[in-house]
Amino acid sequence: MADHHEHHAPTGWRRWLLSTNHKDIGSLYLWFSFAMFLVGGLLAMVIRAELMYPGMQVVDPDFFNQMTTTHGLIMVFGAVMPAFVGLANWMIPLMIGAPDMALPRMNNWSFWILPFAFAILIGSVLMSAFGPGNPPAPNFGWTFYAPLSTTYGPASTDFFILSVHLMGISSIMGAINVIVTVMNMRAPGMTMMKMPLFVWTWLITAFLLIAVMPVLAGAVTMMLTDRHFGTSFFDAAGGGDPVLFQHIFWFFGHPEVYIMILPAFGVVSAIIPTFARKPLFGYASMVYATASIALLSFVVWAHHMFTVGMPLAGMLFFMYMTMLISVPTGVKVFNWVATMWRGSLTFELPMKWAIAFVILFTIGGLSGLMLSITPVDFQYHDSYFVVAHFHYVLVSGAIFSMFAAVYYWLPKWTGVMYDKFWGEVHFWSSLISVNLLFFPMHFVGLAGMPRRYADYALQFADYNWWISIGAFWFGISQLFLLWVLIKACFLKKGEKATDEVWEGADGLEWTVPSPAPFHTFDTPPVVK
Amino acid sequence: MQSTLFHRAATLLTTLMLSGVAAADWTERSDLNLRPGVTAVSQDVYDLHMIILGIVTLIGVLVFALIMWSVFAHRKEKNPVPAKFHENVVLEVVWTVIPFFILIGMAIPATRVLINMEDTSDSALTVKVTGSQWRWHYEYLAYEDDNDINVGFFSDLATPPEVWQRPILSGGLFPVGSYQERVGQERVPLTRDNEDVFNYMIEVDNRLVIPAGQKVRFLITADDVIHSFWVPDFGWKKDAIPGFVNEAWTLVPEEQAGRIFRGQCAELCGRLHAFMPIEVEVKSQEDFAEWLAEQQAAAADGPDMTPFASVDEAMEMGKPIYDRACAMCHGAQGQGQGMFPSFQQSALMVDADRKQENIDILLRGRGAMPAFRAQLSPKEIAAVVTYQRNAFGNETGDLIQPDDVQN
């Protein structure tokens, strides 16, 4: 049918630069995010090399601060978010039986903005490392609290502001595209409550993005006018308020952390039923839990700010609301466990990653519950305990779910199975090293080591050595993934993948050939 | 069956809670756990921490045990035909409602402790703590009946820069030898037995001194960026924010007089964020009153304005001040680094017409350079300027006298 009005697939640079095809744009996003993951990881290696021993031995403390800032920004905006957008581009049309994303040209734009945004940011780091006179790159933490970032920010802060604006524009365009696609382009018969959970989690994530990215844009615009146009939004000396900055930042920042984890919930909710050969337990409650987490995320921002000095009633409100998030999150974890319960489990790589996700994300969630208790949070806040907490959620949570997704859908994307041997090496090596890397951070945090420290007192020395060993090991482990991807995507070497790939797989994406053809679903499938 | 399981869980939970309470002793300084701290509040916080840690550990162990059970018992070889169930309303309601009650159980003690922590009324001593890049300023405002004490001083990192600061990559990427060798043999980790030794990175030149057995209220603020005042043994931290005054309090029991508690700045505040530690010395009330009287007497004398006899005398006084207050940014050899200008043969330092400008920059600050008017006496500023203009190969022979330094 489709062949009668054939679209010739574009080739060469046009295929990528001018792409309007959701699969190609998805691949661009995924490769871009993997490149950023390696760059951000490299910056983390500088941090860990410095912290391996007490004393300053590798970099200047100011360069250390530039590393913590850009590591955070690149990982959040360059690695995790584009990775999920890439996954959404690839999978949402396939999952809902649509021919493409609803707004393909905007899709092209939303991707191609990103390389420019990050070239600006990374450019300031390169200038700092190699430039004449070494003008510092952004050096105020990924949270860029005023007045450190406004009154005392280096000249490169303007690059940073422009870069954040571009990332925000890209995210909003991507989110609009997801919403329009999901609302309008579902195959006949696919009601909302029949959509795969991954589509649900992305739909909710997209609403979160549209709600909060403008808040971030507002914050950086106020910074810009504070820096250059004589306003004093965040300067107490001019009648402004540095705490206002934190309220605005975290009103964006807290939903942002759910933007980085909700699609992960969707991925895991697709993988566990496949390898348990049993439908997802509690589909409806999973949808409601996701929505409640998203709604609650708007009323808990100040739990990042318990130490700024809030009225008692404010602290109590934010403590209770934060504690409440553990209820829907717990429902999700229990549902995954119940999906596995009395299933017929096999442990292919995607399932291994998914189980590791559930266990390690739960550790991060439980330390999050500890952090919600305000009086104790005074002790944990801004210590390595917090660093341990959010890396368990973001690395062994969000990023592990991405790995699970890549191994799960790679055969569908490329038509060949991944290299099982190096995939296994990647999994076990990452699993052991990620725990060596982040678990001891709980201990140094509780013992009293503040975060973002370029040097530390001697009682923290032993754990920091182990943490650095874990960090280098985890960094090297990712090169195994690079090899697995090169082999499957470019060399096309590996066992030929069937259409269904996995025995227990369910969903429209498994009804089309592997690799998925350039255009799928020109005639929509009918969902019963 | 169910009741035994419940009883076991209850026993385990109780044991965990009690072990937390029993361990709530400041002498314990675990490598693995929160410090119980030294005050009643810090021990409440520690107990709360142990209770919550117990609950989350229990939940975690339960969830992981279920997963592991599935992984072993429900693998395909053992269970080739999967069950079909995918819903159970009762179960789903149960695991929504039970966590709710657990949360209420946590929220009640947490609320009680928090309310107590926020009550700063009826304090005997009020100390204003100001964070600056990168040192702490302590001002004693009121003690018992005296509401106008007017004693203040700055507190700087005492570890000399040459101990921690190394030019980039000198000594190789991974230096050989233990950290004790590189940061100094006499510096050993902080433990219960040697808490008063000279400690790498957590030692200061002027300690904050407070009385034991009396409630001390801290007014916390900053004069440039946001810092955070954190002494883990007191059980709280509070941000120091420019334009705001935050409050917090502590009451160290009387039997702890003579002890020293250490903390560090906990909010990213720029280049030397890791280098502004806090040392609090707790004195008995008599010793404290005596110490305070000495400080007041010294403050009442006014600054020493006697002129220097020679350039050498001024340089001798100026060098240690330079090393403490200036070398962190401008380098021990005045070589400058990054945005901080070099002093070696710089026009400002060697041009005789710019002496007054040099003094003014120290007094009032300029750009990222802080004002030292409040931190250094006129004589000290004269000494530092003299040192700058004669060290680092400048050798101008300029001698600045205290009288040249006019606010």
Side-chain angles (χ1 to χ4, degrees):
Chain A
M1 279 285 282
D3 295 339
H4 289 295
H5 44 98
E6 185 157 330
H7 302 282
H8 285 286
T11 52
W13 63 270
R14 286 170 177 278
R15 171 173 176 190
W16 301 105
L17 190 65
L18 307 178
S19 181
T20 52
N21 180 289
H22 74 98
K23 299 187 182 76
D24 283 351
I25 294 174
S27 301
L28 285 173
Y29 264 114
L30 288 168
W31 276 108
F32 175 78
S33 82
F34 191 57
M36 286 299 113
F37 177 58
L38 295 181
V39 171
L42 220 54
L43 304 184
M45 296 302 107
V46 176
I47 295 171
R48 286 319 317 179
E50 178 56 62
L51 291 178
M52 196 160 181
Y53 299 100
M56 297 304 304
Q57 39 247 329
V58 183
V59 295
D60 182 84
D62 191 57
F63 193 72
F64 181 90
N65 291 346
Q66 298 168 34
M67 291 294 105
T68 57
T69 306
T70 35
H71 163 71
L73 288 167
I74 288 177
M75 286 305 197
V76 168
F77 294 103
V80 176
M81 290 172 68
F84 284 132
V85 181
L87 219 49
N89 261 297
W90 247 105
M91 300 317 297
I92 287 178
L94 286 182
M95 284 176 155
I96 63 173
D100 204 310
M101 295 298 276
L103 308 164
R105 284 179 201 284
M106 195 166 85
N107 212 7
N108 175 291
W109 261 112
S110 69
F111 172 75
W112 278 110
I113 285 175
L114 284 180
F116 293 94
F118 283 89
I120 292 168
L121 186 65
I122 294 170
S124 66
V125 178
L126 293 178
M127 276 192 273
S128 170
F130 305 112
N134 295 340
N139 55 9
F140 27 64
W142 91 274
T143 52
F144 55 99
Y145 279 2
L148 182 61
S149 62
T150 51
T151 316
Y152 296 83
S156 61
T157 309
D158 298 330
F159 285 169
F160 158 83
I161 290 171
L162 179 59
S163 169
V164 168
H165 266 307
L166 290 173
M167 294 167 199
I169 291 169
S170 161
S171 298
I172 289 178
M173 292 204 290
I176 289 172
N177 219 341
V178 167
I179 293 174
V180 178
T181 308
V182 173
M183 295 314 244
N184 294 311
M185 297 183 67
R186 278 169 287 138
M190 177 160 290
T191 59
M192 294 295 272
M193 290 311 275
K194 275 189 188 161
M195 291 195 310
L197 211 72
F198 177 73
V199 180
W200 256 117
T201 52
W202 239 113
L203 181 65
I204 292 168
T205 302
F207 278 107
L208 285 182
L209 276 167
I210 289 181
V212 302
M213 292 313 285
V215 179
L216 176 66
V220 293
T221 307
M222 285 188 253
M223 276 176 67
L224 190 71
T225 62
D226 264 16
R227 281 170 59 78
H228 297 297
F229 304 107
T231 58
S232 21
F233 289 105
F234 306 132
D235 182 2
D241 182 347
V243 179
L244 172 71
F245 176 87
Q246 297 186 27
H247 282 293
I248 297 174
F249 178 83
W250 286 113
F251 189 79
F252 145 79
H254 195 79
E256 168 70 19
V257 305
Y258 289 98
I259 288 166
M260 291 190 284
I261 201 66
L262 293 185
F265 292 165
V267 167
V268 170
S269 302
I271 292 173
I272 290 181
T274 299
F275 297 96
R277 293 172 179 73
K278 195 164 152 281
L280 182 69
F281 185 91
Y283 172 87
S285 61
M286 286 298 232
V287 173
Y288 298 138
T290 311
S292 3
I293 292 172
L295 287 175
L296 280 173
S297 75
F298 285 105
V299 288
V300 299
W301 77 89
H303 69 214
H304 297 265
M305 305 162 51
F306 282 144
T307 62
V308 303
M310 260 185 284
L312 181 63
M315 283 199 272
L316 289 175
F317 171 80
F318 286 109
M319 170 167 81
Y320 299 148
M321 288 299 131
T322 306
M323 292 169 83
L324 268 187
I325 291 191
S326 63
V327 175
T329 314
V331 167
K332 299 191 85 84
V333 172
F334 292 130
N335 280 356
W336 291 322
V337 175
T339 307
M340 288 167 65
W341 193 255
R342 288 180 53 211
S344 184
L345 277 69
T346 51
F347 303 98
E348 287 87 344
L349 272 170
M351 184 62 163
K352 284 204 179 88
W353 284 109
I355 294 174
F357 167 91
V358 176
I359 292 178
L360 299 180
F361 172 78
T362 303
I363 294 178
L366 292 172
S367 61
L369 181 59
M370 294 173 72
L371 283 162
S372 73
I373 311 292
T374 312
V376 205
D377 177 78
F378 291 150
Q379 287 279 41
Y380 305 146
H381 180 81
D382 266 329
S383 79
Y384 260 80
F385 189 83
V386 174
V387 181
H389 158 72
F390 70 74
H391 281 92
Y392 262 87
V393 177
L394 280 175
V395 179
S396 53
I399 289 177
F400 271 28
S401 86
M402 272 307 304
F403 291 157
V406 166
Y407 284 101
Y408 185 55
W409 283 308
L410 196 65
K412 178 58 64 188
W413 297 337
T414 62
V416 293
M417 284 302 281
Y418 50 78
D419 184 318
K420 290 201 174 95
F421 175 77
W422 288 109
E424 290 282 341
V425 172
H426 174 223
F427 171 74
W428 288 107
S429 180
S430 299
L431 181 72
I432 298 167
S433 58
V434 87
N435 285 292
L436 182 62
L437 167 53
F438 296 122
F439 206 75
M441 285 188 184
H442 291 115
F443 302 138
V444 282
L446 291 175
M449 178 164 162
R451 66 192 280 211
R452 292 165 170 158
Y453 259 32
D455 195 5
Y456 46 84
L458 299 187
Q459 66 265 38
F460 309 125
D462 297 346
Y463 285 118
N464 270 293
W465 188 82
W466 282 108
I467 292 168
S468 288
I469 295 294
F472 301 140
W473 181 2
F474 185 73
I476 290 165
S477 305
Q478 304 323 309
L479 300 179
F480 302 132
L481 175 62
L482 182 62
W483 170 238
V484 169
L485 292 177
I486 289 173
K487 211 173 158 191
C489 297
F490 300 125
L491 307 179
K492 297 282 179 196
K493 271 192 181 158
E495 215 181 297
K496 190 112 190 53
T498 59
D499 293 359
E500 208 187 288
V501 184
W502 313 110
E503 194 190 30
D506 186 32
L508 289 177
E509 77 260 39
W510 307 109
T511 63
V512 301
S514 300
F518 197 68
H519 293 291
T520 33
F521 301 126
D522 279 352
T523 20
V526 176
V527 181
K528 284 192 288 293
Chain B
M1 172 68 192
Q2 198 131 39
S3 75
T4 30
L5 202 64
F6 174 77
H7 282 285
R8 273 185 209 162
T11 318
L12 184 64
L13 191 63
T14 324
T15 318
L16 276 171
M17 286 180 183
L18 286 179
S19 65
V21 176
D25 170 5
W26 61 268
T27 56
E28 180 171 312
R29 198 189 285 282
S30 169
D31 264 2
L32 298 169
N33 202 353
L34 198 66
R35 303 188 210 168
V38 69
T39 64
V41 165
S42 73
Q43 307 220 348
D44 281 348
V45 167
Y46 178 80
D47 293 344
L48 204 54
H49 161 77
M50 287 310 287
I51 291 170
I52 297 157
L53 183 62
I55 292 172
V56 300
T57 307
L58 209 66
I59 296 171
V61 167
L62 180 79
V63 171
F64 304 152
L66 288 173
I67 293 176
M68 285 305 141
W69 181 262
S70 279
V71 166
F72 288 106
H74 303 145
R75 48 175 58 233
K76 200 180 173 192
E77 299 96 89
K78 293 197 173 172
N79 190 30
V81 183
K84 289 268 180 282
F85 68 90
H86 57 89
E87 240 173 16
N88 185 328
V89 177
V90 177
L91 206 56
E92 287 178 70
V93 169
V94 165
W95 68 44
T96 311
V97 172
I98 290 184
F100 206 78
F101 284 108
I102 296 177
L103 291 184
I104 293 174
M106 291 183 190
I108 292 169
T111 306
R112 184 183 59 78
V113 174
L114 186 62
I115 290 172
N116 182 27
M117 287 174 99
E118 291 297 300
D119 177 14
T120 54
S121 58
D122 299 323
S123 58
L125 171 69
T126 301
V127 182
K128 183 178 165 207
V129 176
T130 309
S132 325
Q133 284 177 324
W134 290 274
R135 53 183 60 81
W136 293 99
H137 186 198
Y138 302 117
E139 288 165 274
Y140 291 73
L141 302 182
Y143 182 54
E144 292 181 332
D145 300 327
D146 186 354
N147 284 319
D148 186 21
I149 292 184
N150 201 22
V151 164
F153 52 87
F154 284 80
S155 179
D156 266 288
L157 174 70
T159 309
E162 57 267 27
V163 173
W164 58 268
Q165 195 175 48
R166 275 142 219 281
I168 292 172
L169 295 183
S170 78
L173 192 58
F174 298 104
V176 185
S178 69
Y179 56 78
Q180 281 94 345
E181 273 171 47
R182 277 173 297 106
V183 297
Q185 291 285 0
E186 78 278 23
R187 296 180 173 80
V188 286
L190 184 71
T191 64
R192 167 79 184 91
D193 301 321
N194 62 356
E195 60 189 356
D196 298 340
V197 299
F198 197 59
N199 270 288
Y200 179 70
M201 280 299 139
I202 41 176
E203 56 212 2
V204 300
D205 52 2
N206 294 311
R207 289 169 179 157
L208 171 65
V209 180
I210 59 170
Q214 284 181 316
K215 189 166 178 175
V216 181
R217 180 171 69 136
F218 295 100
L219 301 178
I220 300 168
T221 187
D223 54 17
D224 38 40
V225 302
I226 299 175
H227 305 265
S228 192
F229 187 79
W230 183 27
V231 179
D233 285 315
F234 293 167
W236 47 263
K237 69 168 70 70
K238 207 68 151 182
D239 287 359
I241 303 171
F244 278 74
V245 179
N246 273 326
E247 278 188 291
W249 65 275
T250 197
L251 198 168
V252 179
E254 259 173 82
E255 63 271 21
Q256 306 299 345
R259 288 175 46 77
I260 291 165
F261 302 99
R262 293 160 200 270
Q264 293 175 285
C265 174
E267 180 63 61
L268 179 59
C269 57
R271 180 168 178 268
L272 299 180
H273 167 48
F275 305 88
M276 45 184 295
I278 298 153
E279 252 189 279
V280 184
E281 184 174 350
V282 180
K283 287 186 190 286
S284 70
Q285 282 165 37
E286 304 78 63
D287 289 353
F288 176 78
E290 197 179 310
W291 174 87
L292 197 60
E294 275 169 26
Q295 301 292 315
Q296 272 181 293
D301 287 345
D304 174 11
M305 298 296 278
T306 48
F308 292 112
S310 67
V311 172
D312 287 342
E313 188 197 334
M315 283 190 59
E316 198 180 324
M317 180 176 179
K319 184 177 183 343
I321 301 170
Y322 178 88
D323 287 344
R324 190 187 79 223
C326 320
M328 279 191 195
C329 295
H330 296 282
Q333 303 306 316
Q335 72 271 32
Q337 44 199 338
M339 62 194 285
F340 306 108
S342 163
F343 295 152
Q344 295 171 349
Q345 302 289 327
S346 73
L348 177 66
M349 294 299 159
V350 295
D351 187 344
D353 295 338
R354 296 180 72 179
K355 267 193 283 194
Q356 195 55 45
E357 186 186 348
N358 193 355
I359 296 168
D360 283 349
I361 293 174
L362 243 85
L363 275 175
R364 286 177 252 285
R366 175 189 282 183
M369 164 90 180
F372 282 88
R373 189 170 29 191
Q375 307 184 30
L376 300 175
S377 70
K379 189 163 186 178
E380 287 171 319
I381 288 184
V384 172
V385 174
T386 306
Y387 178 72
Q388 288 177 330
R389 302 183 76 82
N390 290 286
F392 323 129
N394 293 336
E395 293 178 15
T396 56
D398 292 340
L399 173 59
I400 313 291
Q401 294 292 2
D403 282 340
D404 300 334
V405 181
Q406 298 297 337
N407 266 323

